[in-house]
């Protein structure tokens, strides 16, 4: 039987969000790292350099699996950069 993680609860206040934590953005349908919290808005970034802002209420904590996916993407991005002239 495959173990499926239960969905995490959504944030109820911006004070719960920590810089550097992995979160899932429901609007963009992507996992990202928190770069800054500015009032009700949160700045996010992916290892590819893509950055955007989103309202804190649209985020939930990233799961362990999503964190592994983000680390794998960062590793792939480092390998790609090494191959560029």
């Amino acid at each position: 039987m495959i173990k499926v993680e239960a969905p995490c609860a959504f944030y109820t206040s911006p004070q719960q969000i920590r810089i550097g934590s992995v979160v899932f953005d429901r609007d963009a349908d992507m996992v990202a790292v928190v770069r800054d919290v500015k009032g009700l808005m949160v700045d996010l970034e992916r290892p590819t350099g893509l950055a955007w802002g989103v309202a804190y209420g649209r985020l939930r904590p990233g799961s362990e699996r999503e964190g592994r996916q983000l680390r794998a993407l960062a590793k792939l991005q480092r390998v790609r950069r090494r191959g560029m002239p």
Side-chain angles (χ1 to χ4, degrees), residues 32-84:
V33 175
V34 175
R35 288 292 160 221
D36 198 9
V37 179
K38 300 174 184 172
L40 300 177
M41 295 299 291
V42 180
D43 290 338
L44 304 176
E45 185 176 11
R46 287 185 47 98
T48 58
L50 175 65
W52 72 98
V54 64
Y56 81 91
R58 303 303 296 166
L59 301 174
R60 68 165 170 77
S63 68
E64 199 173 306
R65 180 174 183 264
E66 291 165 337
R68 287 193 306 268
Q69 288 175 330
L70 206 57
R71 287 190 296 276
L73 180 59
K75 183 178 178 181
L76 176 63
Q77 192 65 17
R78 285 191 302 272
V79 169
R80 284 180 176 169
R81 284 189 183 145
R82 269 188 261 146
M84 296 176 90

Side-chain angles (χ1 to χ4, degrees), residues 2-61:
I2 298 173
K3 182 180 177 185
V4 178
E5 293 181 41
C8 300
F10 291 92
Y11 292 109
T12 56
S13 90
Q15 289 79 21
Q16 295 174 317
I17 303 172
R18 300 287 169 241
I19 293 174
S21 62
V22 175
V23 296
F24 182 82
D25 178 1
R26 291 191 290 175
D27 292 339
D29 199 28
M30 286 194 288
V31 180
V33 175
V34 175
R35 288 292 160 221
D36 198 9
V37 179
K38 300 174 184 172
L40 300 177
M41 295 299 291
V42 180
D43 290 338
L44 304 176
E45 185 176 11
R46 287 185 47 98
T48 58
L50 175 65
W52 72 98
V54 64
Y56 81 91
R58 303 303 296 166
L59 301 174
R60 68 165 170 77

